[in-house]
Amino acid sequence: MIRSLLKVGLMLAVGLIGYNYFFGNAEEQASSRKIVGKVADAGKAVGGVFKGEYQKFRDGKYDNAISKIGGALDKGKEKLKGGTVLLKKIDDWTERQAEWRQTKRDLKKQLKEAGSDADKSEEIQQAIKRHNEEAEALKAEGKKLQEAAEQEGAEE
């Protein structure tokens, strides 16, 4: 119900702006042109965000950080006694890291296959953004685990 009301409201707003853009008096046309210009600027800004996320994805920004953390955690695991809770958390993190890398490979393949299909490309862009957010979370969690492993290893 609410979704329908929002759609109707949006259509009315677009229709009113379009009407004023072409058939309104000089003041209404100027106001409509200003609104259309701002919407175009917002569209460019959103496009810029997607390009930024896509570039981070392509550059492998998170790959190096996650690899370094993974290496540090592997070193920390060697110092820990078997069966600790921390060791299990590190193993879980390592497994999620592998899943993250596989998802990245899948997204690259999908992006290549999508080519000029705009709808599919936008879906992939959204997935890339979520993937980059997951990388940030994985990176932060890995650093915490790394610090905990160093502390626990130092205590022994």
Side-chain angles (χ1 to χ4, degrees):
M1 175 74 177
I2 292 175
R3 182 180 283 176
S4 297
L5 288 173
L6 289 174
K7 285 181 183 179
V8 169
L10 182 62
M11 293 303 292
L12 284 172
V14 169
L16 181 62
I17 292 168
Y19 177 81
N20 286 341
Y21 190 88
F22 294 107
F23 303 113
N25 63 31
E27 184 180 318
E28 292 170 340
Q29 286 182 343
S31 176
S32 294
R33 284 190 175 90
K34 188 176 180 181
I35 291 170
V36 169
K38 287 183 179 182
V39 169
D41 289 343
K44 289 177 186 175
V46 169
V49 169
F50 282 134
K51 284 182 183 177
E53 290 295 324
Y54 176 69
Q55 194 58 44
K56 288 179 194 175
F57 178 78
R58 290 206 56 166
D59 291 345
K61 173 187 176 191
Y62 302 108
D63 292 348
N64 292 337
I66 289 175
S67 292
K68 287 179 185 177
I69 292 169
L73 287 175
D74 287 340
K75 288 179 186 176
K77 279 173 57 174
E78 293 172 5
K79 295 178 183 177
L80 298 175
K81 294 179 182 176
T84 66
V85 173
L86 184 58
L87 193 58
K88 290 176 185 173
K89 287 181 180 180
I90 291 172
D91 288 338
D92 179 54
W93 185 91
T94 305
E95 189 175 304
R96 289 193 353 253
Q97 176 193 25
E99 290 171 4
W100 181 86
R101 290 187 184 285
Q102 182 60 46
T103 302
K104 180 174 182 174
R105 287 189 290 275
D106 294 345
L107 285 171
K108 280 186 173 182
K109 184 178 176 185
Q110 290 175 10
L111 194 58
K112 191 181 237 184
E113 291 172 355
S116 62
D117 186 357
D119 290 338
K120 206 165 196 171
S121 182
E122 182 153 336
E123 288 177 25
I124 295 168
Q125 290 288 347
Q126 290 291 337
I128 288 172
K129 185 176 181 186
R130 286 191 303 273
H131 187 70
N132 288 348
E133 290 168 355
E134 289 174 20
E136 286 288 344
L138 196 61
K139 182 176 151 184
E141 184 181 345
K143 283 184 179 183
K144 287 180 184 176
L145 287 171
Q146 179 183 358
E147 290 169 2
E150 288 172 357
Q151 274 186 332
E152 195 169 309
E155 292 173 1
E156 293 177 5

